[in-house]
Structure formats: structure tokens, C-alpha cells
Amino acid sequence: MKTPMLTITSATFLASLASLATGITIPIPSGRYGVDSSVVELIDTARLDPYAPTPQPRRLMLSVFYPSGSKEDCQQYLSSYMPATTAALHDTLFSSFGIPNGTFETLGLSLCHAKPASTSSNHYPTVLFSPGLGGSRLLYSALAQTLSSHGFTVLTIDHPYDASIVSYPDGTFVLAANISTDAQITRAVAIRAADVSFTIQSLQHNQHLFNFQAPNSKDILIFGHSLGGATALSVLLSYPTLIRGAINLDGRIFGPSLSQATHRPFLLFGHEGKNQSTDSSWATTWPHLLGSKLELSLLGSQHVTFGDFPILADVLGLRTQMPDAIDAVLGRIDGTRALDVITTYVQAFFKFAIGHAASDILTQPRPAYPEIEVVEADL
């Protein structure tokens, strides 16, 4: 079993998280819409899982976040941040850092029940999300929920044997394989892209599988964090007419995508210090982005800022208790602010990608967002 991506966090941070997590609800997101969520299992019977020890179809797990009406009309309810099996397994994975049983079970999301006929999800663009290598889709739920609150249907995808843990409705689960060399990672991007391709096919032809109002299968966008960013570009190249645009959140790019051209809008969004000068894969890819393209830097951030751990640090009060340790792992920008800034720029770029006029925040520094450096813009 491979150590998950997020074990780069410090022992001090994780131990403090464990001591403070005593029934914590992540705040309701800032957008105009209430957000509901469902969990979907997709089974690709046409494809054997390349990592499974015995022949079996590839089984994906997705979380779907979708606008469910205005906040004023919401019937709020509390949902577990992770199902019990997954949470318990995360406790086990982080036990060497002092995480006691029950830590992840205490975390919750505040969701909003949809009122009948109050909204139709096929009015909203559909956004696909691929996590970082070793990271569960569930550790990006606050990010997905916040983006959805601004008018998007967001599907986060777990890639089995790549994610640290994938739990299924029948009670079974799989743990991560050893994916560490460049060759293994390049292969993983291709497998992830096939997962996303099957998800797209399911959106187009089997929408009944999603257990909620039919998502928009025409305005499709994709983004991902870390290796998920490389996955986003690979999928964009595979669907040059269907995918309207893509975003790479702080990910190195691997494999054939480095030298393939696309005319679709693409955003490279890096942590402070990550850019074309410091990541050769970004420098190699940039000339092959022949459509609208943008490079941003989030000042005060680290690689793990592009996920849910920063907002968890906020709601647990860790910023005041251990600021130096938190800064070293998650950056100087606090989680609530990071989530707001990241989703503001993600939604602005995606709206541009589907035909809206480019917001001026995408092309020039804005006083309201001093954390953003526009490194290069060609919109």
C-alpha cells in the first residue's frame, strides 16, 4: 500500500487535528445557491481494472455536488464528511502521526435538500474533478461544494488503487497501489483519463445512474489538483470539441500531453514559487496551448492549499494554536480565504471558457485579491 499524498502534512498538524476534532461542521459555502450531494458508483463492464489482483471490471466512486435552489429556500441537513468505513481507514492511515480512532468521523458538511422542481441541474455547467495522486476525492468535498454553490454541478472522481482508499456501497474497499516512478505515474494518468472518459460516456448515455436531476452533458469542464491537473489536460486533449476548458491546480504534467496541442482554454494555477521557470513540464506545455491560456500564482500558498486541509485547519482553530507549523505545510493564507480565492478564480475561468466575457480578475491584478499574481495571460 502506498502512503497517501497528504501525509506530507506534519506530525504536529495531524496530532493537533486529532485532539480538536470533536464534531466539526464545515461552514456553508459562500455562493448564492444551496448545494445538495449524492454518491454514485459507476461500473465499467467493458474494462478490466488494470490494478486489481483478480480480473474484475473497473469500479468508480463519485461524489456529485449540485445547486438545489436559493439559500433562502434551503432545508439544511448535516452529512458526514466521509462514510464511516472510509473515515476509519483514514484514521488508520494517519495513526502513526497520533490520529486516534474517530477523528475523521467527527467532520461534517452542511447540505441543502432540493425542493421538487425548484431547480434543474441541466441548466448548470458540469465540472469534473480529479484528485491528487494518493488523495481521496472526499478530501476535496468543501472545494467542490463551494464551486457548486456558484452555479456548477461538480463531480469528484475517485481512481481506484490510485486514491488512498475507495469504499464501495457493498462495504468493500480497495487501498492504493504503489505508484511512484515516472513510468508508473504516466500510466496512471492514462488510466485516470479512461476513468473520466467512462464518466463522460455515462453522463451522455446513462444519466439515470446519477440519482438526481439530469446533469448538463453539453457544457462540460474539467479540473484537477496535482496529478489530477495532468489528468485534466489529458482528458481535454481526448475531447477537443466536448470539453470546453480545463484547469491544472498545481500539478506537474506527464506523458504525451506535454507535446500535444489544444485550442481550448487552459489555466495553470500554481502555489507560490511554482511556475514555468520552476516546473519544466509547465514550460514545455505552454507553447502547445494554442487557445486562450492563463498562468496564475496563489501567493502565500503551498501544494496542499489546493484541497480541504486548509479549511479544516481553520474550523479546528489550528491557525492560532500552531501558526508556524501550519504555515510550513499549508502556507500563510488561511483556509477560508484560500477556498474563496481559489473558487473565485476557478469559476471566473470556467465561465469564460463557456462563452462569458473574461472577467478583469483574470487579466490584471485586483486590489480585492492581492494573493493572486497574474504570471502570464493570453485571453
Side-chain angles (χ1 to χ4, degrees):
M1 182 184 69
K2 175 174 65 64
T3 302
M5 176 193 67
L6 289 176
T7 56
I8 65 172
T9 53
S10 69
T12 306
F13 167 72
L14 290 170
S16 295
L17 186 153
S19 67
L20 292 173
T22 55
I24 301 296
T25 302
I26 295 170
I28 297 171
S30 57
R32 60 181 291 195
Y33 298 103
V35 176
D36 210 345
S37 181
S38 63
V39 175
V40 178
E41 180 181 14
L42 298 179
I43 303 176
D44 188 351
T45 57
R47 182 168 55 122
L48 292 178
D49 194 312
Y51 295 114
T54 59
Q56 55 189 278
R58 184 78 165 162
R59 299 170 65 192
L60 307 180
M61 289 301 299
L62 286 71
S63 294
V64 185
F65 295 87
Y66 52 98
S68 58
S70 67
K71 282 183 176 177
E72 292 75 14
D73 295 331
C74 268
Q75 293 180 310
Q76 296 289 341
Y77 70 98
L78 187 64
S79 176
S80 296
Y81 184 72
M82 291 179 173
T85 300
T86 304
L89 288 169
H90 273 81
D91 290 339
T92 300
L93 283 174
F94 292 115
S95 62
S96 61
F97 293 93
I99 291 289
N101 289 336
T103 296
F104 284 93
E105 288 90 333
T106 65
L107 302 173
L109 292 172
S110 182
L111 298 173
C112 171
H113 279 304
K115 290 192 174 182
S118 65
T119 186
S120 177
S121 55
N122 59 19
H123 293 317
Y124 305 109
T126 296
V127 177
L128 307 173
F129 178 81
S130 180
L133 177 63
S136 167
R137 78 187 195 279
L138 300 169
L139 291 171
Y140 299 88
S141 294
L143 175 66
Q145 183 190 17
T146 302
L147 182 59
S148 182
S149 77
H150 293 281
F152 297 87
T153 298
V154 183
L155 284 66
T156 61
I157 304 169
D158 262 342
H159 304 286
Y161 297 97
D162 178 328
S164 54
I165 299 167
V166 180
S167 297
Y168 296 102
D170 63 5
T172 62
F173 63 88
V174 297
L175 303 177
N178 181 17
I179 303 172
S180 55
T181 68
D182 280 1
Q184 290 171 332
I185 292 171
T186 298
R187 178 173 179 252
V189 171
I191 294 168
R192 284 163 161 255
D195 292 343
V196 179
S197 178
F198 178 63
T199 301
I200 292 171
Q201 293 169 23
S202 300
L203 282 170
Q204 293 176 316
H205 305 297
N206 296 290
Q207 290 198 346
H208 64 281
L209 297 173
F210 289 85
N211 296 325
F212 72 107
Q213 296 173 354
N216 185 336
S217 60
K218 295 181 180 179
D219 287 331
I220 298 180
L221 304 141
I222 185 168
F223 75 133
H225 174 226
S226 197
L227 196 62
T231 305
L233 179 56
S234 179
V235 173
L236 181 69
L237 292 166
S238 299
Y239 289 90
T241 58
L242 179 64
I243 306 294
R244 304 290 299 275
I247 298 173
N248 175 350
L249 297 179
D250 212 50
R252 180 182 167 194
I253 298 169
F254 291 84
S257 299
L258 285 163
S259 57
Q260 295 181 15
T262 177
H263 290 270
R264 287 298 194 181
F266 195 81
L267 165 60
L268 294 168
F269 198 169
H271 74 272
E272 183 173 350
K274 184 180 181 69
N275 51 52
Q276 294 180 57
S277 299
T278 59
D279 187 325
S280 61
S281 73
W282 283 26
T284 300
T285 300
W286 187 260
H288 299 286
L289 303 176
L290 304 181
S292 299
K293 56 187 178 181
L294 178 65
E295 182 182 353
L296 301 175
S297 178
L298 180 61
L299 304 181
S301 68
Q302 297 284 356
H303 184 63
V304 187
T305 304
F306 296 89
D308 284 3
F309 264 87
I311 191 68
L312 297 181
D314 271 13
V315 299
L316 295 170
L318 302 184
R319 292 280 171 185
T320 56
Q321 303 225 0
M322 40 183 293
D324 292 341
I326 292 300
D327 286 355
V329 174
L330 302 179
R332 302 184 306 276
I333 182 172
D334 70 69
T336 303
R337 179 61 177 173
L339 186 61
D340 177 61
V341 173
I342 291 167
T343 53
T344 293
Y345 278 80
V346 166
Q347 66 163 312
F349 187 80
F350 278 156
K351 287 178 180 178
F352 166 73
I354 61 174
H356 295 239
S359 169
D360 58 6
I361 68 171
L362 298 177
T363 58
Q364 54 190 296
R366 303 301 301 172
Y369 298 99
E371 303 91 345
I372 291 293
E373 178 187 0
V374 180
V375 180
E376 191 166 351
D378 186 4
L379 303 181

